[in-house]
Amino acid sequence: MANDGIGASVLRKEDRRFITGQGRFTGDIDLPRQLHAIFVRSPHAHANIKSVDLSEARGMPGVVAIHTGEELAAGGIKNLICGWMIHSKDGSPMRMGPYPPLAIGKVRFVGQPVFAVVAESIDQAEDAAGAVKIDYEVLPAVTAPAEALRPGAPAVHDFAPDNSAWEHSKPSPNLIFDWSLGDVAATDKAFAAAKHVVKIEVVNNRTVPSAMEARAVVAEYRSGDEHFTLWNTTQNPHLLRVVLSAFINVAPEHKLRVVAPDVGGGFGSKIFTYSEEVVCLWSAKATGRPVKWTSGRYEAFLSDAHGRDHVTTAEMAFDANHKMLGLRVDTIANIGAYMSLFSSLIPTYLYAPLMSGQYAIPAISVNVRAVYTNTVPVDAVRGAGRPEATYVLERLIETAARDLGVDRADLRRRNFVRNFPYQTPVLWKYDSGDYDGLLDKVLTAAKWSEFPARKAESMKRGKLRGIGLSCYIEACGVAPSSATGGALGCGVGMWEMAEIKINPVGTVEVLVGTLGHGQGHETTYAQIAADRFGISVDSVAVIEGDTDKVQQGMGSYGSRTAGNGTSAVSRALDRVEAKTRRIAAHLLEASEKDITIANGEFTVAGTNRKVTLTDVALAAYTFHKLPKDIEPGLDEKAYYDPTELTYPAGAFVCEVEVDPATGVTDILQFTAIDDFGNIINPMIVEGQVHGGIMHGIGQALLEEARYDTGSGQLITGSYMDYCMPRADNLPKVLTLGFQKTPSPNNPLGVKGCGEAGAIGAPPAIINAITDAIGNNDLSMPATPEKVWMALQRASTKMAAE
């Protein structure tokens, strides 16, 4: 039998239905008597709702209902939640403004849903939505994070005085929390003793998630048993069910089924609870008919949570030998108009603890101020905090190498962590790694030492060639709430659940609470089960995404599937394997310790006596063939609750060529060496790295969500204005490599891989471009216009000198 187990590049099982057009997505689901919902969204970034006239819209053909925020609130529907409580440095809790599913009295960003029109057809719903009359009192808006803190900035939310220390300190009305991590006194002492101090200011540009499949909802209510079913493009159906039932009060949990069919990508944007899910469920009960909503791409720009949007000042202290002594970081994080489900976690516990990077920095102090603005809410997008931290740190180190006049690779190497486990000054404890090995491999693969010759060749053609380096580390698995200071406010941990069923004919079912949306879960999990029994992956079925089939789960995000999901599967396999051994030993009249498993067979060691997995499975369900101390069936469940995270790491080199006449940048070669511990399917992992790097290229060169500072209108509201990476933006040469230092923190020794490229790529690219143009004053995205202008500034500066 071909090797289908761990370590094999098995072709993805799920791709057969996708490439033959047989995938089944939420948009493909149509139910009898189905209605269609269209959301009337605010055209203003900040406004009071003075009056509303729904009479004409309600009387239009096909209209069944028009739902309002007041109606939902009167029916017991509560506000959308943020799942993590963050406390400011003074101990005061974050200020969370109420986030109703439909606006009540005021709108706070362009695109906020105000009414839901439900009609017999999409066209009829759209016509009626156009007839809704709303009189707005337009208010001043604020869109930039730093501007939100300025005196006199428009207040996004109206918080009543609470007589707390927070209120007495009179913070900006838009300040959500003022949070810190690290040791301020130790950091100040390190800077006081420093021989060199390097400082930078960086902007981490706001991005729009762009999954291939836009969000969609189909909601059904059965009055006979008062039961709801929600088909939805979500990354975590079980957590969505918990939030909808326990916190938003849509329905009791046992009366709500959430189904995620095939999901066409997510990148984090499909983790959260959105207004449309709540309203469609409400409408299904109110109308007595199924209700469907499918987002258009323009609507997605205005309703899907955005990512990033930080403004940061960072400085690093060095001694005379260029050893890092301390790091000080101050960040203003834009949360948008409302706090989304994970929003408070992203700029705090997923950001600040990564500031140590791959380096032994004795003292670190990070301060984060989160602010409201009149923009789309900001939450997790691929990497979620880790790209922001890596960009700050790696741009700072590259700048330091230039300012100090030292080799940038040597500066990094001089300060690498080498002893594991390593406790950083900012919470996390790294599990394993070999950062010197990663750097050696990437410099060799990228032919770093030969770069001067390539640069000279480019100069002959009138082009500017640059090379950039980035060394990243990330934390994967989102371990228990205790790891985030007990901050998990919605009462759920970061465990994962899996169940293994072996059917009477010997086929295997893996039921797991994660949710694949492009990563290849069906293949990866099947390989783990196939490896355990030496069978083909075609004999294994993987079931995810249905809360009626899979008992519990925590979904897929934060690269948690590799460590948590596979560990739960491995633990459940341990239990079912132990039982198969007992049954096989009974059938073969041998000792359990003498049973070996290979190629789907159980053999008595040293003999030719054997039974197949099918024989064992059939015996498990043929009760009279079992000893009295063995229960019938082969069905085992396990939970895996990680006590620690895993810490993938890597080293990237990017080489670019810039046309000084136009500012156009071409990525000539990109080299990535990653450490993901043990790898289950190298082909799938390579695909994840490819996608992550392309995601990083998009942020570094092309993507930026921009708002008009006066009106708060999203200027980049479509792909006509928001530039996504295309095939011609790919590196001319893309070289990947892997180094293996298994994680001791899970049974399979694996580390997450899905976000690595998006974390390490942006600083490598910007470091390369700034190296080429000789000007460090360049912000993402490095568009041709920005690069050309940076070249002019550099030229002017040289002329002045």
Side-chain angles (χ1 to χ4, degrees):
M1 185 188 72
N3 177 22
D4 282 356
I6 294 173
S9 291
V10 177
L11 294 177
R12 298 192 346 160
K13 289 163 59 73
E14 50 268 68
D15 284 349
R16 177 184 296 274
R17 68 177 182 274
F18 294 145
I19 63 178
T20 57
Q22 298 179 67
R24 188 168 187 257
F25 299 85
T26 302
D28 296 320
I29 296 170
D30 290 299
L31 302 178
R33 302 179 61 246
Q34 177 177 280
L35 299 172
H36 296 269
I38 291 291
F39 287 84
V40 177
R41 299 182 181 276
S42 170
H44 302 293
H46 198 195
N48 290 321
I49 300 174
K50 293 175 61 180
S51 63
V52 174
D53 184 356
L54 303 178
S55 58
E56 181 183 352
R58 281 182 168 143
M60 293 184 69
V63 173
V64 176
I66 299 179
H67 301 299
T68 70
E70 290 82 358
E71 174 193 353
L72 269 65
I77 298 298
K78 299 180 180 178
N79 294 321
L80 305 185
I81 70 164
C82 175
W84 269 262
M85 169 56 72
I86 298 295
H87 289 83
S88 289
K89 292 178 292 187
D90 65 1
S92 57
M94 66 187 188
R95 298 200 291 184
M96 182 173 175
Y99 190 179
L102 295 173
I104 299 176
K106 179 180 277 194
V107 292
R108 292 180 170 86
F109 67 95
V110 173
Q112 181 173 358
V114 183
F115 298 107
V117 179
V118 181
E120 299 285 350
S121 71
I122 295 176
D123 290 343
Q124 289 172 330
E126 287 182 341
D127 288 344
V132 170
K133 295 180 174 61
I134 309 173
D135 185 15
Y136 291 101
E137 178 192 4
V138 178
L139 303 172
V142 60
T143 58
E147 291 297 322
L149 291 176
R150 294 191 186 280
V156 179
H157 290 274
D158 303 315
F159 293 104
D162 58 10
N163 297 317
S164 67
W166 171 284
E167 182 63 30
H168 287 212
S169 67
K170 297 190 181 301
S172 163
N174 296 316
L175 183 65
I176 301 170
F177 54 76
D178 185 354
W179 176 88
S180 66
L181 185 67
D183 190 327
V184 174
T187 305
D188 289 345
K189 184 177 179 180
F191 273 83
K195 179 69 174 179
H196 307 284
V197 174
V198 178
K199 183 177 182 179
I200 62 169
E201 295 181 0
V202 297
V203 174
N204 209 286
N205 43 313
R206 176 183 281 238
T207 63
V208 177
S210 295
M212 186 177 295
E213 177 201 23
R215 290 192 297 117
V217 173
V218 177
E220 181 184 43
Y221 175 74
R222 298 194 307 260
S223 59
D225 56 359
E226 299 180 314
H227 191 277
F228 291 88
T229 300
L230 174 70
W231 290 268
N232 190 32
T233 51
T234 180
Q235 294 176 223
N236 51 359
H238 293 88
L239 183 56
L240 176 59
R241 182 177 64 168
V242 168
V243 173
L244 288 171
S245 60
F247 296 92
I248 302 179
N249 199 36
V250 170
E253 190 172 359
H254 69 293
K255 294 287 188 179
L256 175 60
R257 176 191 182 192
V258 177
V259 182
D262 288 325
V263 176
F267 308 119
S269 67
K270 295 176 181 175
I271 304 173
F272 324 117
T273 308
Y274 286 100
S275 297
E276 295 84 4
E277 299 149 358
V278 177
V279 175
C280 286
L281 285 166
W282 169 268
S283 183
K285 182 177 181 180
T287 64
R289 295 170 63 179
V291 176
K292 183 175 184 177
W293 168 78
T294 303
S295 173
R297 188 60 65 176
Y298 171 72
E299 196 172 15
F301 272 85
L302 299 177
S303 62
D304 294 1
H306 291 178
R308 319 291 193 236
D309 209 349
H310 287 188
V311 177
T312 297
T313 300
E315 50 188 341
M316 183 171 282
F318 295 87
D319 68 11
N321 296 315
H322 304 143
K323 293 284 285 185
M324 298 174 185
L325 299 177
L327 173 66
R328 185 185 289 137
V329 178
D330 183 79
T331 293
I332 304 173
N334 191 350
I335 300 296
Y338 296 96
M339 299 194 75
S340 180
L341 185 61
F342 284 75
S343 60
S344 60
L345 180 66
I346 309 306
T348 53
Y349 290 104
L350 292 183
Y351 171 70
L354 270 295
M355 280 298 175
S356 190
Q358 296 184 9
Y359 312 104
I361 308 174
I364 301 175
S365 174
V366 182
N367 196 85
V368 177
R369 288 169 289 171
V371 298
Y372 288 117
T373 62
N374 296 113
T375 62
V376 173
V378 174
D379 211 308
V381 169
R382 196 176 200 165
R386 283 73 58 87
E388 295 92 315
T390 301
Y391 185 72
V392 170
L393 184 61
E394 289 300 303
R395 287 289 292 124
L396 180 58
I397 293 172
E398 194 84 356
T399 302
R402 295 169 185 173
D403 288 358
L404 298 174
V406 299
D407 183 87
R408 45 200 152 159
D410 289 344
L411 181 61
R412 289 173 168 88
R413 191 189 302 277
R414 185 183 298 262
N415 290 282
F416 278 156
V417 170
R418 292 186 172 87
N419 298 312
F420 296 89
Y422 173 75
Q423 178 62 59
T424 74
V426 276
L427 195 63
W428 296 150
K429 181 190 289 186
Y430 298 164
D431 55 354
S432 63
D434 177 6
Y435 305 149
D436 289 284
L438 287 168
L439 184 59
D440 290 341
K441 288 181 175 65
V442 80
L443 295 180
T444 299
K447 299 181 180 178
W448 180 274
S449 62
E450 301 172 23
F451 173 73
R454 298 193 295 274
K455 182 180 180 70
E457 189 278 329
S458 292
M459 289 182 65
K460 291 178 182 179
R461 294 183 287 104
K463 300 295 180 67
L464 305 175
R465 199 176 188 116
I467 194 166
L469 177 62
S470 170
C471 298
Y472 80 88
I473 188 167
E474 64 164 319
C476 294
V478 192
S481 57
S482 59
T484 54
L488 188 57
C490 57
V492 288
M494 289 295 129
W495 46 262
E496 196 47 76
M497 192 280 295
E499 185 176 1
I500 304 296
K501 295 180 179 180
I502 301 182
N503 299 314
V505 295
T507 56
V508 179
E509 295 180 20
V510 178
L511 295 87
V512 67
T514 56
L515 195 285
H517 45 282
Q519 301 94 327
H521 286 192
E522 292 180 38
T523 306
T524 302
Y525 286 134
Q527 284 184 258
I528 297 171
D531 188 82
R532 185 65 66 100
F533 294 106
I535 60 177
S536 166
V537 293
D538 291 334
S539 298
V540 183
V542 176
I543 300 168
E544 296 181 296
D546 188 333
T547 60
D548 271 12
K549 294 180 179 178
V550 181
Q551 185 178 8
Q552 293 291 342
M554 288 299 297
S556 293
Y557 44 87
S559 297
R560 65 183 304 275
T561 297
N564 299 1
T566 63
S567 296
V569 169
S570 180
R571 183 169 289 180
L573 282 167
D574 289 343
R575 295 175 181 176
V576 79
E577 179 192 339
K579 190 168 184 179
T580 60
R581 284 182 178 276
R582 292 181 65 195
I583 296 172
H586 168 71
L587 295 176
L588 293 167
E589 298 180 338
S591 171
E592 288 182 44
K593 69 178 186 300
D594 293 331
I595 299 296
T596 62
I597 305 175
N599 299 320
E601 297 174 333
F602 297 75
T603 304
V604 179
T607 75
N608 61 359
R609 295 166 53 214
K610 59 186 177 183
V611 292
T612 66
L613 179 60
T614 301
D615 296 329
V616 172
L618 185 60
Y621 293 94
T622 309
F623 304 163
H624 65 276
K625 292 187 177 181
L626 296 179
K628 292 182 179 180
D629 62 339
I630 299 179
E631 291 183 355
L634 280 176
D635 184 350
E636 296 290 339
K637 181 173 65 176
Y639 286 84
Y640 178 76
D641 191 12
T643 57
E644 298 289 346
L645 304 174
T646 66
Y647 297 90
F652 292 177
V653 170
C654 177
E655 194 165 329
V656 304
E657 196 171 66
V658 175
D659 184 342
T662 63
V664 171
T665 299
D666 285 325
I667 301 178
L668 301 181
Q669 66 176 37
F670 198 103
T671 308
I673 307 295
D674 294 284
D675 182 355
F676 300 131
N678 293 327
I679 293 176
I680 295 169
N681 187 314
M683 181 194 69
I684 286 177
V685 170
E686 287 181 7
Q688 288 289 290
V689 176
H690 286 163
I693 290 172
M694 200 61 173
H695 208 138
I697 290 171
Q699 180 173 10
L701 297 182
L702 305 165
E703 299 182 50
E704 183 178 25
R706 297 179 60 190
Y707 284 87
D708 178 73
T709 55
S711 66
Q713 294 293 325
L714 180 63
I715 299 172
T716 53
S718 76
Y719 292 139
M720 295 292 290
D721 311 294
Y722 185 91
C723 188
M724 290 283 288
R726 298 171 174 83
D728 62 351
N729 298 118
L730 276 166
K732 302 297 186 289
V733 177
L734 178 58
T735 303
L736 303 185
F738 300 110
Q739 172 179 281
K740 182 175 72 175
T741 56
S743 172
N745 292 345
N746 60 68
L748 295 177
V750 298
K751 304 175 183 180
C753 68
E755 299 167 289
I759 294 170
I765 295 166
I766 300 301
N767 286 341
I769 298 173
T770 54
D771 179 59
I773 65 176
N775 187 347
N776 204 45
D777 182 19
L778 181 68
S779 62
M780 294 191 293
T783 61
E785 179 187 16
K786 284 187 179 180
V787 173
W788 186 86
M789 292 179 67
L791 279 166
Q792 306 316 303
R793 290 194 298 272
S795 177
T796 301
K797 182 178 179 182
M798 289 180 61
E801 293 174 350

